[in-house]
Amino acid sequence: MLFTRLINFLKDKLFEEVPETGQPDTRDGLRSINENNERAHRERNNVEESSAEQLQKMQDQKARRKKIIMISLAVVLLSALAGTAASVYFKYHISNSDIEDCKFYFKTEDYSNAFKKCSKTRKIKDPEILFALGSMYHYQKGLPQKKGKKPDERQRMTEALNLYREAAKMDYIPALQILGKLYLNGSRGVIVIDEDHAADWFTRGALHGDYVSMRELSDILLRKKQFEEAVPWLERLAEYGDSDAALSLAELYFNGTEIPADPVKAFHWCEQSARSANREAEHLLSLMYITGSGTAPDAASAFRNELRAARGGLEKAMYQVGFFYEKGIGTPVDLQQAVSWYEEAAGKRYPSALYRLGMMYLRGEYVDRDEQKAVSLLRDAADLKDPDALLRLGRMYQNGETVDRDYGEAIRLLEKAARFNLDDAYYYLGIAYSKGLGTIQDQQAAVAWFTRAAEHNHTLSQYSLGLIHYELEQYRQAYEWFSRAMENGHAYSAAYLGMMSANGLGCEVSYYMAYYYFLVSEYLYDDSTTRENLAMIRSSLSRAQQGAAESRADKFINHLRSQKKQR
């Protein structure tokens, strides 16, 4: 207000009219006409001389006034500007000082002072300050404590979330990370676990090239089996040198179950991961060299990579190196080294190594036979749920081999092995129920166990089902299962088929087919009963029928031989 009045006053002075000094005063009107005339006459004589002087004097006076006013205005304006600048400088100088203090106190973990400074400067909307303040609310650091009153956890976490979100609006990476982790892990009473919401926050961070966000996002996508979406992020991580991401890519392309298989890409990413001494990658690379997946087969390279992984402490690689030494794969056979590596892996409680060593001591292979040590190793492997150890121990208890016979323990171990979908476990459980070994005899349960294995083309289970149906006089089902078992080269099944064909059980009577089945049985298992049956059936056939049956049997036997070679 004072400033405005000063301006107006100066403006009035600038434009004030200046009275002319030679103009007659109105109070002289009472003078006589003569005096006026005389004065007028004199003035007219001098007017021409003084007019120029008066004009110049007025112009100088106005110029002087204007100059004074302009100087005054300049002084006032400069003072105002200087005052404003000083106030602005003072204001922001204090704010910057507080900001720096806030950050310093927070980094040095002086949370009490950090909380005061950050609270004071919160309105500046600096994302680092918002994040620091949110962290202090989140982890309850530096918050003022009221005596006798516990802090409201829900209110505290809500405030932390709000501060994190404010910082995240400005794409502050730590805020995006912490919000993603909060929704990933949840916060009691405030945040419910929500992987989709977590993925949204991590995606924002990942789009800004944040490594942590990309890592977390790719892990979420892999857990949710969104493999196609995970691949681009894994590739970016792998390009940054993340060996685990490169290994994940290698496994995805190698397995070909989640995304289309690509052995070349699998080998590329696996090799890149292995260069960073990733032991799992070295182990997988060894497998690729053995199988020739994505590269030419190279047993020596397979052994070198497996050996690096084993020396790096990977238990399954230790076991595999032992196997390579035992079989001479990529390296000369060295049984002493094989046993040494098996023992190294077993010392780290690797189940397959415990089982392999147990079998070696049980059979006396490359080591002195030691049944007690063998059983101990097999039990250790079984305790670690090694399926082969569970099956082997189950059979040992069922047969009383090396251990005291215990049908109950046998069933317990075989049922555990069956959880790993082992057909042999299904079969021996079928035997236990069909004969009542350690349980009540239950043919229905036996059929169920045998069927599970038989559907996987387990020959002995197919034969056992044939026997059960035969004894129940269910000849069609028996004929079917015996036929499937014979196709796998089972001699007794062929003999049963010959007998059933000769007597029309489950099929039409056919001496030709009976002769054919007995020929196959004789080849697979030559015994006197089969020879007697052949002689009896042969007399009922013409030479042409005998020749046709013999030719058919030869073809089948050759087929079995071919299958055996392929295996």
Side-chain angles (χ1 to χ4, degrees):
M1 179 63 73
L2 181 62
F3 179 72
T4 304
R5 290 174 62 187
L6 180 59
I7 293 296
N8 291 334
F9 171 76
L10 292 171
K11 185 174 70 172
D12 292 342
K13 287 297 181 182
L14 178 62
F15 298 105
E16 183 182 37
E17 292 292 336
V18 181
E20 297 181 3
T21 56
Q23 188 174 356
D25 198 317
T26 54
R27 289 175 295 181
D28 292 339
L30 299 176
R31 296 177 183 177
S32 63
I33 294 174
N34 292 332
E35 291 176 353
N36 288 337
N37 290 336
E38 288 177 1
R39 189 177 63 182
H41 178 71
R42 287 194 303 270
E43 287 177 353
R44 278 196 300 270
N45 292 332
N46 296 327
V47 68
E48 292 180 1
E49 296 176 1
S50 62
S51 58
E53 184 180 348
Q54 290 290 333
L55 181 61
Q56 183 64 40
K57 188 176 180 180
M58 291 173 62
Q59 289 176 348
D60 291 344
Q61 190 177 15
K62 287 183 179 181
R64 188 166 56 254
R65 286 181 179 177
K66 186 174 182 180
K67 186 175 181 180
I68 292 170
I69 291 171
M70 294 301 293
I71 292 172
S72 300
L73 282 171
V75 170
V76 171
L77 289 172
L78 287 173
S79 299
L81 290 172
T84 302
S87 63
V88 170
Y89 170 76
F90 181 73
K91 174 184 175 182
Y92 284 95
H93 174 71
I94 295 298
S95 297
N96 286 333
S97 176
D98 288 339
I99 290 171
E100 295 304 321
D101 287 346
C102 168
K103 295 176 181 179
F104 172 77
Y105 288 136
F106 184 72
K107 290 177 181 177
T108 57
E109 299 184 4
D110 184 352
Y111 296 116
S112 179
N113 284 321
F115 184 81
K116 293 174 184 176
K117 291 292 184 180
C118 290
S119 298
K120 182 178 179 181
T121 55
R122 174 177 178 174
K123 293 182 179 179
I124 295 174
K125 301 294 184 184
D126 183 304
E128 190 174 350
I129 288 177
L130 293 171
F131 176 77
L133 196 56
S135 297
M136 286 185 278
Y137 274 109
H138 184 180
Y139 299 106
Q140 204 169 349
K141 301 287 187 180
L143 303 185
Q145 299 290 337
K146 294 182 179 180
K147 292 183 179 180
K149 186 177 181 181
K150 292 183 179 180
D152 188 329
E153 184 175 350
R154 185 179 183 85
Q155 184 178 358
R156 177 176 57 80
M157 280 302 300
T158 301
E159 183 66 16
L161 275 176
N162 291 335
L163 288 161
Y164 286 148
R165 288 192 182 107
E166 283 188 65
K169 287 178 183 177
M170 292 171 263
D171 292 325
Y172 188 60
I173 298 300
L176 295 171
Q177 290 176 359
I178 194 66
L179 283 167
K181 290 177 181 178
L182 281 171
Y183 280 100
L184 185 62
N185 302 315
S187 178
R188 186 177 59 186
V190 181
I191 300 176
V192 178
I193 293 176
D194 186 343
E195 280 199 337
D196 290 335
H197 207 162
D200 291 339
W201 289 112
F202 286 132
T203 299
R204 287 181 58 182
L207 290 171
H208 285 279
D210 176 53
Y211 173 85
V212 173
S213 296
M214 286 190 282
R215 179 75 265 176
E216 294 287 353
L217 178 60
S218 61
D219 288 344
I220 290 172
L221 294 173
L222 289 174
R223 282 197 300 273
K224 295 174 70 176
K225 302 188 183 302
Q226 296 176 356
F227 301 106
E228 294 286 352
E229 293 83 351
V231 166
W233 296 114
L234 289 171
E235 288 178 346
R236 288 186 65 179
L237 286 167
E239 288 166 359
Y240 287 160
D242 189 318
S243 64
D244 290 332
L247 176 61
S248 294
L249 285 168
E251 290 172 338
L252 287 170
Y253 284 119
F254 178 76
N255 295 327
T257 53
E258 295 85 8
I259 61 175
D262 191 328
V264 175
K265 284 186 177 180
F267 184 82
H268 165 74
W269 290 117
C270 191
E271 194 174 38
Q272 178 172 315
S273 181
R275 289 195 200 105
S276 300
N278 187 306
R279 304 310 177 192
E280 291 286 352
E282 290 169 343
H283 175 68
L284 179 58
L285 196 61
S286 173
L287 177 60
M288 290 182 174
Y289 275 118
I290 282 291
T291 59
S293 178
T295 185
D298 187 343
S301 294
F303 175 76
R304 283 195 299 272
N305 279 282
E306 203 71 80
L307 187 60
R308 279 196 291 268
R311 287 173 174 168
L314 189 65
E315 295 89 345
K316 58 185 173 184
M318 294 174 183
Y319 169 77
Q320 200 64 36
V321 167
F323 181 77
F324 283 173
Y325 274 120
E326 182 184 353
K327 303 299 181 182
I329 300 173
T331 184
V333 172
D334 189 331
L335 299 180
Q336 187 176 356
Q337 282 285 352
V339 173
S340 175
W341 279 108
Y342 286 142
E343 288 178 340
E344 188 81 16
K348 292 184 176 291
R349 310 287 294 168
Y350 186 65
S352 296
L354 290 166
Y355 169 73
R356 182 72 188 101
L357 269 180
M359 294 304 296
M360 290 170 71
Y361 280 105
L362 185 64
R363 296 167 179 167
E365 293 178 336
Y366 322 133
V367 293
D368 294 334
R369 183 181 174 86
D370 188 334
E371 292 183 350
Q372 186 176 356
K373 189 171 184 178
V375 172
S376 175
L377 287 165
L378 289 173
R379 281 176 176 160
D380 287 344
D383 289 341
L384 294 171
K385 299 181 180 180
D386 181 80
D388 293 325
L390 289 166
L391 176 62
R392 182 63 187 176
L393 270 179
R395 289 286 296 129
M396 290 168 69
Y397 278 109
Q398 197 173 55
N399 296 329
E401 176 191 353
T402 311
V403 295
D404 294 335
R405 192 186 301 272
D406 186 336
Y407 290 126
E409 180 67 4
I411 287 180
R412 186 184 72 83
L413 290 165
L414 290 172
E415 285 180 343
K416 285 187 176 182
R419 294 171 191 165
F420 293 93
N421 299 321
L422 294 182
D423 291 334
D424 282 346
Y426 298 153
Y427 169 71
Y428 289 116
L429 281 169
I431 292 292
Y433 280 99
S434 67
K435 296 182 178 181
L437 304 177
T439 182
I440 60 172
Q441 192 171 15
D442 187 342
Q443 293 298 334
Q444 188 174 357
V447 167
W449 285 114
F450 284 139
T451 301
R452 291 179 69 176
E455 287 174 348
H456 296 158
N457 209 27
H458 189 268
T459 305
L460 289 176
S461 295
Q462 292 167 341
Y463 170 68
S464 297
L465 283 171
L467 283 178
I468 290 175
H469 287 297
Y470 186 86
E471 291 171 359
L472 295 173
E473 298 184 357
Q474 297 170 347
Y475 296 120
R476 285 191 177 277
Q477 293 93 321
Y479 189 91
E480 179 184 347
W481 285 115
F482 283 140
S483 296
R484 292 176 65 174
M486 191 200 79
E487 289 294 325
N488 291 324
H490 193 261
Y492 288 165
S493 294
Y496 267 99
L497 287 169
M499 184 176 59
M500 293 175 76
S501 295
N503 293 284
L505 301 176
C507 61
E508 294 181 358
V509 174
S510 174
Y511 292 127
Y512 164 78
M513 289 301 299
Y515 188 62
Y516 161 69
Y517 287 131
F518 283 131
L519 284 171
V520 172
S521 178
E522 182 188 35
Y523 169 78
L524 295 172
Y525 183 74
D526 186 14
D527 67 343
S528 58
T529 303
T530 301
R531 287 195 298 272
E532 290 174 2
N533 288 330
L534 275 173
M536 184 172 57
I537 296 294
R538 187 182 294 115
S539 62
S540 302
L541 296 175
S542 65
R543 289 188 175 275
Q545 288 175 320
Q546 292 176 29
E550 290 168 358
S551 176
R552 181 174 179 177
D554 287 341
K555 287 180 181 179
F556 178 74
I557 297 304
N558 289 332
H559 170 68
L560 289 179
R561 287 172 179 165
S562 176
Q563 283 187 329
K564 189 175 181 179
K565 287 180 180 179
Q566 290 176 2
R567 291 172 191 156

